[in-house]
Amino acid sequence: MTSLPRYYLGILPHMLNPIDLDYDWFGVLWLEENNRFPIIVGYWFSKEESEITHNVIQTGLSKWTQISDNQIIMRMYQSIRNLQKKQDWETRTRLSIRTIFKSPWNDVSSGLYIIKSRETYPLHVSAILKKKFFVWLEHVAVCETEEELHVFMKRVSEEHQMETLMKKGSPTVK
């Protein structure tokens, strides 16, 4: 006999919203079936705690158990953020062909550029690769500190240095 799924809601204040780069309320809704791993159903960021429960109700759910264990909610948050970080790193996008003819890309040499969205943390950072006829968005990240920015830049440097070596026919590093 299978049991009905049980829904849980956890809410924490002052969590980084990676889109707005603000520290907002974070809410996560998950379910557990037959003592299996939790499945995240949805998550939200908002300025007010009450908006999160309103969003849960709008999903059509009317019954859940409120969880106040900060460690459980933090693990859910970290799980979501880690997936986002992985996707941000791996997703490459060729920008519009028109980009090459617009400032600043029409005035700079081919190469790899690191662009920050602003001077204050947290911030978005992008690795942009300009080639002769194309501009590629290679990697993006959200950095909360100077240290995270340096880790991003080092990782970009290492990856693109390795790509350059491999293109030149250097022996494979194991």
Side-chain angles (χ1 to χ4, degrees), residues 111-172:
L112 190 59
Y113 295 86
I114 303 291
I115 310 286
K116 297 189 310 185
S117 64
R118 59 188 184 185
E119 290 302 316
T120 58
Y121 292 94
L123 54 81
H124 292 116
V125 63
S126 304
I128 308 286
L129 180 62
K130 183 193 179 197
K131 295 188 174 188
K132 187 172 182 177
F133 297 110
F134 297 105
V135 178
W136 289 85
L137 176 59
E138 291 286 308
H139 309 287
V140 295
V142 173
C143 298
E144 290 187 76
T145 63
E146 184 87 19
E147 180 182 343
E148 288 179 356
L149 175 62
H150 289 293
V151 168
F152 175 82
M153 292 186 332
K154 181 179 180 195
R155 189 171 176 198
V156 167
S157 176
E158 288 171 354
E159 178 168 308
H160 289 276
Q161 192 172 41
M162 181 60 78
E163 285 178 6
T164 303
L165 289 173
M166 291 176 74
K167 286 179 185 175
K168 290 181 179 181
S170 297
T172 305

Short mmCIF file of all heavy atoms in Angstrom, two decimals, residues 111-172:
data_model
loop_
_atom_site.label_atom_id
_atom_site.label_comp_id
_atom_site.label_asym_id
_atom_site.label_seq_id
_atom_site.Cartn_x
_atom_site.Cartn_y
_atom_site.Cartn_z
N GLY A 111 39.64 37.88 -27.67
CA GLY A 111 40.18 37.41 -26.41
C GLY A 111 39.09 37.11 -25.41
O GLY A 111 37.90 37.20 -25.72
N LEU A 112 39.51 36.78 -24.21
CA LEU A 112 38.60 36.41 -23.13
C LEU A 112 38.50 37.59 -22.17
O LEU A 112 39.52 38.13 -21.74
CB LEU A 112 39.17 35.18 -22.42
CG LEU A 112 38.28 34.48 -21.41
CD1 LEU A 112 36.98 33.98 -22.05
CD2 LEU A 112 39.02 33.31 -20.79
N TYR A 113 37.28 37.97 -21.83
CA TYR A 113 37.03 39.12 -20.97
C TYR A 113 36.15 38.71 -19.79
O TYR A 113 35.24 37.90 -19.94
CB TYR A 113 36.32 40.24 -21.75
CG TYR A 113 37.17 40.81 -22.84
CD1 TYR A 113 37.21 40.22 -24.11
CD2 TYR A 113 37.97 41.92 -22.61
CE1 TYR A 113 38.00 40.74 -25.12
CE2 TYR A 113 38.77 42.44 -23.61
CZ TYR A 113 38.79 41.85 -24.86
OH TYR A 113 39.58 42.36 -25.86
N ILE A 114 36.45 39.27 -18.63
CA ILE A 114 35.64 39.07 -17.43
C ILE A 114 34.89 40.37 -17.18
O ILE A 114 35.50 41.44 -17.08
CB ILE A 114 36.51 38.72 -16.20
CG1 ILE A 114 37.36 37.48 -16.45
CG2 ILE A 114 35.63 38.58 -14.96
CD1 ILE A 114 36.60 36.19 -16.56
N ILE A 115 33.56 40.28 -17.11
CA ILE A 115 32.71 41.45 -16.93
C ILE A 115 31.92 41.30 -15.63
O ILE A 115 31.25 40.30 -15.42
CB ILE A 115 31.70 41.58 -18.10
CG1 ILE A 115 32.37 41.47 -19.46
CG2 ILE A 115 30.86 42.84 -17.95
CD1 ILE A 115 33.16 42.66 -19.87
N LYS A 116 32.00 42.33 -14.78
CA LYS A 116 31.22 42.36 -13.54
C LYS A 116 29.98 43.21 -13.78
O LYS A 116 30.04 44.22 -14.48
CB LYS A 116 32.03 42.96 -12.39
CG LYS A 116 33.25 42.16 -12.03
CD LYS A 116 33.93 42.64 -10.75
CE LYS A 116 34.19 44.11 -10.68
NZ LYS A 116 34.93 44.52 -9.49
N SER A 117 28.87 42.81 -13.16
CA SER A 117 27.62 43.55 -13.33
C SER A 117 27.61 44.86 -12.54
O SER A 117 26.88 45.79 -12.89
CB SER A 117 26.42 42.69 -12.92
OG SER A 117 26.48 42.39 -11.53
N ARG A 118 28.41 44.92 -11.49
CA ARG A 118 28.49 46.13 -10.67
C ARG A 118 29.72 46.03 -9.78
O ARG A 118 30.38 45.00 -9.74
CB ARG A 118 27.22 46.34 -9.85
CG ARG A 118 26.89 45.20 -8.89
CD ARG A 118 25.54 45.41 -8.27
NE ARG A 118 25.22 44.41 -7.28
CZ ARG A 118 24.06 44.34 -6.67
NH1 ARG A 118 23.13 45.23 -6.95
NH2 ARG A 118 23.82 43.40 -5.77
N GLU A 119 30.00 47.09 -9.06
CA GLU A 119 31.19 47.12 -8.21
C GLU A 119 30.96 46.55 -6.82
O GLU A 119 31.90 46.16 -6.15
CB GLU A 119 31.72 48.56 -8.10
CG GLU A 119 32.33 49.08 -9.39
CD GLU A 119 33.50 48.22 -9.88
OE1 GLU A 119 34.36 47.83 -9.06
OE2 GLU A 119 33.54 47.92 -11.09
N THR A 120 29.72 46.53 -6.36
CA THR A 120 29.43 46.06 -5.00
C THR A 120 28.97 44.60 -5.03
O THR A 120 28.35 44.16 -6.00
CB THR A 120 28.35 46.92 -4.33
OG1 THR A 120 27.16 46.89 -5.13
CG2 THR A 120 28.82 48.36 -4.18
N TYR A 121 29.28 43.89 -3.95
CA TYR A 121 28.87 42.49 -3.83
C TYR A 121 27.53 42.42 -3.12
O TYR A 121 27.23 43.28 -2.31
CB TYR A 121 29.92 41.70 -3.03
CG TYR A 121 31.21 41.57 -3.79
CD1 TYR A 121 32.24 42.47 -3.60
CD2 TYR A 121 31.37 40.55 -4.72
CE1 TYR A 121 33.42 42.36 -4.31
CE2 TYR A 121 32.55 40.44 -5.43
CZ TYR A 121 33.57 41.35 -5.23
OH TYR A 121 34.72 41.23 -5.95
N PRO A 122 26.74 41.42 -3.45
CA PRO A 122 26.94 40.37 -4.46
C PRO A 122 26.80 40.95 -5.87
O PRO A 122 26.21 42.01 -6.06
CB PRO A 122 25.82 39.37 -4.16
CG PRO A 122 24.77 40.18 -3.47
CD PRO A 122 25.46 41.28 -2.74
N LEU A 123 27.34 40.22 -6.85
CA LEU A 123 27.30 40.67 -8.23
C LEU A 123 27.27 39.47 -9.18
O LEU A 123 27.57 38.36 -8.79
CB LEU A 123 28.50 41.57 -8.54
CG LEU A 123 29.91 41.05 -8.25
CD1 LEU A 123 30.43 40.13 -9.33
CD2 LEU A 123 30.86 42.23 -8.09
N HIS A 124 26.87 39.75 -10.41
CA HIS A 124 26.96 38.75 -11.47
C HIS A 124 28.29 38.97 -12.17
O HIS A 124 28.73 40.12 -12.34
CB HIS A 124 25.85 38.91 -12.51
CG HIS A 124 24.49 38.59 -11.98
ND1 HIS A 124 23.49 39.52 -11.87
CD2 HIS A 124 23.96 37.42 -11.52
CE1 HIS A 124 22.41 38.95 -11.38
NE2 HIS A 124 22.67 37.68 -11.16
N VAL A 125 28.93 37.89 -12.58
CA VAL A 125 30.17 38.00 -13.34
C VAL A 125 30.04 37.08 -14.55
O VAL A 125 29.44 36.01 -14.48
CB VAL A 125 31.40 37.65 -12.46
CG1 VAL A 125 31.37 36.22 -11.99
CG2 VAL A 125 32.69 37.94 -13.19
N SER A 126 30.57 37.54 -15.69
CA SER A 126 30.49 36.78 -16.93
C SER A 126 31.87 36.68 -17.57
O SER A 126 32.66 37.63 -17.51
CB SER A 126 29.57 37.49 -17.93
OG SER A 126 28.30 37.71 -17.38
N ALA A 127 32.11 35.53 -18.17
CA ALA A 127 33.32 35.35 -18.99
C ALA A 127 32.85 35.40 -20.44
O ALA A 127 32.05 34.58 -20.88
CB ALA A 127 33.99 34.02 -18.68
N ILE A 128 33.35 36.39 -21.17
CA ILE A 128 32.95 36.62 -22.56
C ILE A 128 34.15 36.34 -23.44
O ILE A 128 35.24 36.87 -23.19
CB ILE A 128 32.49 38.08 -22.78
CG1 ILE A 128 31.43 38.50 -21.75
CG2 ILE A 128 32.04 38.30 -24.21
CD1 ILE A 128 30.08 37.93 -21.96
N LEU A 129 33.95 35.55 -24.47
CA LEU A 129 35.01 35.23 -25.43
C LEU A 129 34.70 35.91 -26.74
O LEU A 129 33.68 35.62 -27.37
CB LEU A 129 35.13 33.72 -25.63
CG LEU A 129 36.20 33.25 -26.61
CD1 LEU A 129 37.59 33.65 -26.12
CD2 LEU A 129 36.11 31.74 -26.81
N LYS A 130 35.55 36.85 -27.13
CA LYS A 130 35.37 37.52 -28.41
C LYS A 130 36.28 36.85 -29.42
O LYS A 130 37.49 36.71 -29.20
CB LYS A 130 35.69 39.00 -28.34
CG LYS A 130 35.42 39.65 -29.70
CD LYS A 130 35.97 41.00 -29.86
CE LYS A 130 35.62 41.49 -31.27
NZ LYS A 130 36.43 42.61 -31.66
N LYS A 131 35.67 36.40 -30.51
CA LYS A 131 36.43 35.85 -31.63
C LYS A 131 36.29 36.83 -32.78
O LYS A 131 35.63 37.86 -32.66
CB LYS A 131 35.89 34.47 -32.00
CG LYS A 131 36.11 33.44 -30.89
CD LYS A 131 35.75 32.06 -31.34
CE LYS A 131 36.11 31.06 -30.25
NZ LYS A 131 35.97 29.69 -30.69
N LYS A 132 36.90 36.52 -33.90
CA LYS A 132 36.89 37.46 -35.02
C LYS A 132 35.48 37.84 -35.45
O LYS A 132 35.18 39.02 -35.67
CB LYS A 132 37.66 36.86 -36.19
CG LYS A 132 37.85 37.82 -37.34
CD LYS A 132 38.76 37.25 -38.40
CE LYS A 132 38.96 38.26 -39.51
NZ LYS A 132 39.88 37.79 -40.52
N PHE A 133 34.59 36.86 -35.55
CA PHE A 133 33.24 37.14 -36.05
C PHE A 133 32.12 36.88 -35.06
O PHE A 133 30.96 37.09 -35.37
CB PHE A 133 32.98 36.33 -37.33
CG PHE A 133 33.90 36.68 -38.45
CD1 PHE A 133 34.88 35.78 -38.86
CD2 PHE A 133 33.83 37.91 -39.08
CE1 PHE A 133 35.74 36.10 -39.89
CE2 PHE A 133 34.69 38.25 -40.10
CZ PHE A 133 35.66 37.34 -40.51
N PHE A 134 32.45 36.39 -33.87
CA PHE A 134 31.41 36.04 -32.90
C PHE A 134 31.81 36.45 -31.49
O PHE A 134 32.98 36.54 -31.17
CB PHE A 134 31.14 34.52 -32.90
CG PHE A 134 30.63 34.01 -34.21
CD1 PHE A 134 31.46 33.30 -35.06
CD2 PHE A 134 29.31 34.24 -34.60
CE1 PHE A 134 30.99 32.82 -36.28
CE2 PHE A 134 28.83 33.76 -35.81
CZ PHE A 134 29.67 33.05 -36.64
N VAL A 135 30.78 36.63 -30.66
CA VAL A 135 30.98 36.88 -29.24
C VAL A 135 30.20 35.79 -28.50
O VAL A 135 29.02 35.56 -28.77
CB VAL A 135 30.46 38.27 -28.82
CG1 VAL A 135 30.62 38.48 -27.33
CG2 VAL A 135 31.18 39.37 -29.59
N TRP A 136 30.91 35.10 -27.59
CA TRP A 136 30.33 33.99 -26.84
C TRP A 136 30.27 34.33 -25.36
O TRP A 136 31.24 34.81 -24.80
CB TRP A 136 31.18 32.74 -27.01
CG TRP A 136 31.12 32.14 -28.37
CD1 TRP A 136 31.86 32.49 -29.45
CD2 TRP A 136 30.27 31.09 -28.79
NE1 TRP A 136 31.53 31.72 -30.53
CE2 TRP A 136 30.55 30.85 -30.15
CE3 TRP A 136 29.29 30.32 -28.16
CZ2 TRP A 136 29.88 29.87 -30.89
CZ3 TRP A 136 28.63 29.35 -28.89
CH2 TRP A 136 28.93 29.14 -30.24
N LEU A 137 29.12 34.03 -24.75
CA LEU A 137 29.01 34.07 -23.30
C LEU A 137 29.44 32.67 -22.84
O LEU A 137 28.75 31.69 -23.06
CB LEU A 137 27.58 34.36 -22.87
CG LEU A 137 27.29 34.34 -21.38
CD1 LEU A 137 28.15 35.37 -20.65
CD2 LEU A 137 25.82 34.59 -21.13
N GLU A 138 30.62 32.58 -22.26
CA GLU A 138 31.22 31.29 -21.92
C GLU A 138 30.76 30.78 -20.55
O GLU A 138 30.45 29.60 -20.41
CB GLU A 138 32.74 31.41 -21.92
CG GLU A 138 33.33 31.59 -23.29
CD GLU A 138 33.29 30.32 -24.11
OE1 GLU A 138 33.76 29.28 -23.63
OE2 GLU A 138 32.78 30.37 -25.24
N HIS A 139 30.79 31.63 -19.55
CA HIS A 139 30.44 31.23 -18.19
C HIS A 139 29.85 32.43 -17.47
O HIS A 139 30.21 33.57 -17.76
CB HIS A 139 31.68 30.79 -17.40
CG HIS A 139 32.52 29.77 -18.09
ND1 HIS A 139 32.14 28.46 -18.22
CD2 HIS A 139 33.72 29.88 -18.69
CE1 HIS A 139 33.08 27.80 -18.88
NE2 HIS A 139 34.05 28.64 -19.17
N VAL A 140 28.97 32.15 -16.51
CA VAL A 140 28.46 33.19 -15.63
C VAL A 140 28.45 32.65 -14.20
O VAL A 140 28.45 31.43 -14.00
CB VAL A 140 27.05 33.69 -16.02
CG1 VAL A 140 27.07 34.38 -17.36
CG2 VAL A 140 26.04 32.56 -16.03
N ALA A 141 28.42 33.56 -13.24
CA ALA A 141 28.36 33.16 -11.84
C ALA A 141 27.81 34.31 -11.02
O ALA A 141 27.82 35.46 -11.46
CB ALA A 141 29.75 32.78 -11.32
N VAL A 142 27.37 33.96 -9.83
CA VAL A 142 26.99 34.94 -8.82
C VAL A 142 28.09 34.90 -7.77
O VAL A 142 28.43 33.82 -7.27
CB VAL A 142 25.63 34.60 -8.19
CG1 VAL A 142 25.33 35.54 -7.04
CG2 VAL A 142 24.53 34.65 -9.24
N CYS A 143 28.67 36.04 -7.48
CA CYS A 143 29.74 36.11 -6.49
C CYS A 143 29.28 37.00 -5.33
O CYS A 143 28.87 38.13 -5.55
CB CYS A 143 31.02 36.69 -7.10
SG CYS A 143 31.70 35.69 -8.44
N GLU A 144 29.39 36.45 -4.13
CA GLU A 144 29.03 37.22 -2.94
C GLU A 144 30.24 37.92 -2.32
O GLU A 144 30.08 38.83 -1.52
CB GLU A 144 28.38 36.32 -1.89
CG GLU A 144 27.01 35.84 -2.28
CD GLU A 144 26.33 35.08 -1.17
OE1 GLU A 144 25.85 35.74 -0.22
OE2 GLU A 144 26.30 33.83 -1.24
N THR A 145 31.44 37.46 -2.69
CA THR A 145 32.65 38.03 -2.09
C THR A 145 33.74 38.15 -3.15
O THR A 145 33.68 37.55 -4.22
CB THR A 145 33.19 37.11 -0.98
OG1 THR A 145 33.57 35.86 -1.57
CG2 THR A 145 32.16 36.88 0.12
N GLU A 146 34.76 38.90 -2.79
CA GLU A 146 35.95 39.06 -3.64
C GLU A 146 36.61 37.69 -3.86
O GLU A 146 37.07 37.39 -4.96
CB GLU A 146 36.93 40.02 -2.96
CG GLU A 146 38.16 40.33 -3.77
CD GLU A 146 37.96 41.50 -4.72
OE1 GLU A 146 37.03 42.29 -4.53
OE2 GLU A 146 38.75 41.59 -5.68
N GLU A 147 36.63 36.87 -2.82
CA GLU A 147 37.24 35.54 -2.94
C GLU A 147 36.52 34.69 -3.99
O GLU A 147 37.16 34.03 -4.81
CB GLU A 147 37.19 34.83 -1.58
CG GLU A 147 37.81 33.44 -1.62
CD GLU A 147 37.71 32.73 -0.28
OE1 GLU A 147 37.46 33.38 0.75
OE2 GLU A 147 37.87 31.50 -0.29
N GLU A 148 35.18 34.72 -4.00
CA GLU A 148 34.42 33.96 -5.01
C GLU A 148 34.71 34.47 -6.42
O GLU A 148 34.78 33.69 -7.36
CB GLU A 148 32.92 34.03 -4.72
CG GLU A 148 32.51 33.21 -3.52
CD GLU A 148 31.02 33.31 -3.23
OE1 GLU A 148 30.28 34.07 -3.90
OE2 GLU A 148 30.57 32.60 -2.30
N LEU A 149 34.90 35.78 -6.56
CA LEU A 149 35.24 36.35 -7.86
C LEU A 149 36.60 35.82 -8.32
O LEU A 149 36.76 35.42 -9.48
CB LEU A 149 35.26 37.88 -7.80
CG LEU A 149 35.72 38.59 -9.06
CD1 LEU A 149 34.80 38.29 -10.25
CD2 LEU A 149 35.81 40.09 -8.82
N HIS A 150 37.57 35.78 -7.42
CA HIS A 150 38.90 35.27 -7.78
C HIS A 150 38.87 33.78 -8.13
O HIS A 150 39.56 33.35 -9.04
CB HIS A 150 39.91 35.55 -6.66
CG HIS A 150 40.26 37.00 -6.55
ND1 HIS A 150 40.96 37.68 -7.53
CD2 HIS A 150 39.99 37.91 -5.59
CE1 HIS A 150 41.11 38.94 -7.17
NE2 HIS A 150 40.52 39.11 -6.00
N VAL A 151 38.06 33.02 -7.41
CA VAL A 151 37.91 31.59 -7.73
C VAL A 151 37.32 31.43 -9.13
O VAL A 151 37.78 30.61 -9.92
CB VAL A 151 37.04 30.87 -6.68
CG1 VAL A 151 36.63 29.48 -7.14
CG2 VAL A 151 37.77 30.80 -5.35
N PHE A 152 36.32 32.23 -9.46
CA PHE A 152 35.71 32.20 -10.80
C PHE A 152 36.75 32.53 -11.86
O PHE A 152 36.89 31.82 -12.86
CB PHE A 152 34.53 33.18 -10.87
CG PHE A 152 33.93 33.32 -12.25
CD1 PHE A 152 33.01 32.39 -12.71
CD2 PHE A 152 34.28 34.38 -13.07
CE1 PHE A 152 32.45 32.52 -13.98
CE2 PHE A 152 33.73 34.52 -14.34
CZ PHE A 152 32.81 33.59 -14.79
N MET A 153 37.50 33.61 -11.65
CA MET A 153 38.50 34.03 -12.64
C MET A 153 39.58 32.97 -12.82
O MET A 153 40.01 32.70 -13.95
CB MET A 153 39.10 35.39 -12.25
CG MET A 153 38.08 36.50 -12.34
SD MET A 153 38.65 38.21 -12.06
CE MET A 153 40.01 38.10 -10.99
N LYS A 154 40.00 32.35 -11.73
CA LYS A 154 41.02 31.31 -11.81
C LYS A 154 40.49 30.11 -12.59
O LYS A 154 41.19 29.56 -13.44
CB LYS A 154 41.45 30.88 -10.40
CG LYS A 154 42.53 29.82 -10.38
CD LYS A 154 42.94 29.45 -8.98
CE LYS A 154 44.02 28.38 -9.06
NZ LYS A 154 44.23 27.74 -7.79
N ARG A 155 39.25 29.73 -12.32
CA ARG A 155 38.66 28.59 -13.02
C ARG A 155 38.52 28.87 -14.52
O ARG A 155 38.80 28.01 -15.34
CB ARG A 155 37.30 28.28 -12.39
CG ARG A 155 36.69 26.99 -12.88
CD ARG A 155 35.46 26.62 -12.09
NE ARG A 155 34.84 25.44 -12.64
CZ ARG A 155 33.61 25.07 -12.41
NH1 ARG A 155 32.84 25.78 -11.61
NH2 ARG A 155 33.11 23.98 -12.98
N VAL A 156 38.09 30.07 -14.86
CA VAL A 156 37.98 30.47 -16.28
C VAL A 156 39.36 30.39 -16.92
O VAL A 156 39.52 29.82 -18.00
CB VAL A 156 37.39 31.89 -16.42
CG1 VAL A 156 37.57 32.42 -17.84
CG2 VAL A 156 35.92 31.90 -16.03
N SER A 157 40.35 30.95 -16.26
CA SER A 157 41.71 30.96 -16.79
C SER A 157 42.22 29.54 -17.02
O SER A 157 42.78 29.23 -18.07
CB SER A 157 42.63 31.71 -15.82
OG SER A 157 43.95 31.66 -16.27
N GLU A 158 42.02 28.67 -16.02
CA GLU A 158 42.50 27.30 -16.14
C GLU A 158 41.81 26.55 -17.27
O GLU A 158 42.45 25.85 -18.05
CB GLU A 158 42.30 26.55 -14.81
CG GLU A 158 43.25 27.00 -13.73
CD GLU A 158 42.91 26.44 -12.36
OE1 GLU A 158 41.84 25.77 -12.20
OE2 GLU A 158 43.70 26.67 -11.43
N GLU A 159 40.50 26.70 -17.36
CA GLU A 159 39.76 25.99 -18.42
C GLU A 159 40.16 26.46 -19.80
O GLU A 159 40.39 25.66 -20.70
CB GLU A 159 38.25 26.13 -18.25
CG GLU A 159 37.52 25.42 -19.38
CD GLU A 159 36.05 25.26 -19.14
OE1 GLU A 159 35.65 24.75 -18.09
OE2 GLU A 159 35.29 25.64 -20.06
N HIS A 160 40.27 27.75 -19.98
CA HIS A 160 40.56 28.27 -21.32
C HIS A 160 42.03 28.11 -21.67
O HIS A 160 42.37 28.01 -22.85
CB HIS A 160 40.03 29.69 -21.46
CG HIS A 160 38.53 29.68 -21.50
ND1 HIS A 160 37.83 29.46 -22.66
CD2 HIS A 160 37.61 29.77 -20.51
CE1 HIS A 160 36.54 29.45 -22.39
NE2 HIS A 160 36.39 29.64 -21.09
N GLN A 161 42.89 28.06 -20.68
CA GLN A 161 44.30 27.77 -20.95
C GLN A 161 44.42 26.32 -21.42
O GLN A 161 45.16 26.03 -22.35
CB GLN A 161 45.12 28.01 -19.69
CG GLN A 161 46.60 28.01 -19.91
CD GLN A 161 47.33 28.46 -18.64
OE1 GLN A 161 46.96 28.07 -17.54
NE2 GLN A 161 48.35 29.28 -18.82
N MET A 162 43.69 25.41 -20.80
CA MET A 162 43.70 24.00 -21.18
C MET A 162 43.16 23.85 -22.60
O MET A 162 43.71 23.10 -23.41
CB MET A 162 42.87 23.17 -20.20
CG MET A 162 42.86 21.69 -20.51
SD MET A 162 44.50 20.94 -20.50
CE MET A 162 44.78 20.79 -18.77
N GLU A 163 42.07 24.57 -22.94
CA GLU A 163 41.52 24.50 -24.30
C GLU A 163 42.54 24.97 -25.32
O GLU A 163 42.68 24.38 -26.38
CB GLU A 163 40.25 25.36 -24.40
CG GLU A 163 39.05 24.75 -23.74
CD GLU A 163 37.82 25.64 -23.81
OE1 GLU A 163 37.86 26.70 -24.47
OE2 GLU A 163 36.81 25.27 -23.20
N THR A 164 43.26 26.03 -24.99
CA THR A 164 44.28 26.55 -25.89
C THR A 164 45.39 25.53 -26.10
O THR A 164 45.83 25.30 -27.22
CB THR A 164 44.87 27.87 -25.34
OG1 THR A 164 43.80 28.79 -25.16
CG2 THR A 164 45.89 28.45 -26.28
N LEU A 165 45.83 24.90 -25.02
CA LEU A 165 46.88 23.88 -25.14
C LEU A 165 46.41 22.71 -25.99
O LEU A 165 47.16 22.20 -26.82
CB LEU A 165 47.28 23.38 -23.75
CG LEU A 165 48.07 24.34 -22.88
CD1 LEU A 165 48.24 23.76 -21.48
CD2 LEU A 165 49.41 24.66 -23.50
N MET A 166 45.18 22.29 -25.81
CA MET A 166 44.67 21.14 -26.56
C MET A 166 44.53 21.47 -28.05
O MET A 166 44.78 20.64 -28.90
CB MET A 166 43.34 20.67 -25.97
CG MET A 166 43.53 20.05 -24.59
SD MET A 166 41.99 19.59 -23.79
CE MET A 166 41.57 18.14 -24.74
N LYS A 167 44.16 22.71 -28.37
CA LYS A 167 44.04 23.11 -29.77
C LYS A 167 45.39 23.15 -30.46
O LYS A 167 45.50 22.93 -31.65
CB LYS A 167 43.37 24.47 -29.88
CG LYS A 167 41.87 24.40 -29.61
CD LYS A 167 41.26 25.77 -29.71
CE LYS A 167 39.80 25.72 -29.34
NZ LYS A 167 39.19 27.03 -29.30
N LYS A 168 46.44 23.43 -29.69
CA LYS A 168 47.79 23.52 -30.28
C LYS A 168 48.43 22.14 -30.42
O LYS A 168 49.57 22.04 -30.85
CB LYS A 168 48.68 24.42 -29.42
CG LYS A 168 48.29 25.87 -29.49
CD LYS A 168 49.21 26.71 -28.64
CE LYS A 168 48.81 28.17 -28.73
NZ LYS A 168 49.69 29.01 -27.94
N GLY A 169 47.71 21.09 -30.03
CA GLY A 169 48.24 19.75 -30.18
C GLY A 169 49.17 19.31 -29.07
O GLY A 169 49.96 18.40 -29.22
N SER A 170 49.07 19.96 -27.92
CA SER A 170 49.89 19.56 -26.79
C SER A 170 49.43 18.20 -26.28
O SER A 170 48.29 17.80 -26.46
CB SER A 170 49.75 20.59 -25.66
OG SER A 170 50.23 21.83 -26.09
N PRO A 171 50.31 17.48 -25.63
CA PRO A 171 49.93 16.18 -25.09
C PRO A 171 48.81 16.34 -24.07
O PRO A 171 48.72 17.35 -23.39
CB PRO A 171 51.20 15.66 -24.43
CG PRO A 171 52.18 16.78 -24.43
CD PRO A 171 51.69 17.83 -25.34
N THR A 172 47.97 15.33 -24.00
CA THR A 172 46.85 15.35 -23.07
C THR A 172 47.38 15.21 -21.65
O THR A 172 48.23 14.39 -21.37
CB THR A 172 45.90 14.18 -23.39
OG1 THR A 172 45.52 14.26 -24.75
CG2 THR A 172 44.68 14.22 -22.50
#
